[in-house]
Amino acid sequence: MSKTTNGWNNNSVPLAERPNSFILEIFMIEMSAANKAKIDSDFNDYQAVVDYFELDN
């Protein structure tokens, strides 16, 4: 696990700062739908993507 705010950071998180658990959600979106969505939505904005595809969050 590494700390990052924009891109890759190779500095690992100290054990004392690591959570006991975390939730990871992975959404797979068909390329044709994703390509259309790129025109209408900012893929850097998680909430915009959730709203565009009407995903339960």
Side-chain angles (χ1 to χ4, degrees):
M1 182 179 287
S2 296
K3 288 184 179 182
T4 186
T5 54
N6 187 14
W8 173 253
N9 180 346
N10 200 25
N11 297 327
S12 63
V13 177
L15 286 174
E17 293 182 28
R18 293 182 189 179
N20 293 329
S21 66
F22 59 93
I23 297 171
L24 174 66
E25 294 184 70
I26 298 173
F27 299 98
M28 297 180 75
I29 301 169
E30 185 179 337
M31 282 302 299
S32 60
N35 287 335
K36 181 184 179 308
K38 284 182 186 177
I39 296 168
D40 300 328
S41 184
D42 178 6
F43 269 42
N44 293 315
D45 181 348
Y46 174 80
Q47 193 59 49
V49 173
V50 168
D51 293 343
Y52 182 86
F53 287 104
E54 299 177 358
L55 304 171
D56 292 330
N57 54 346

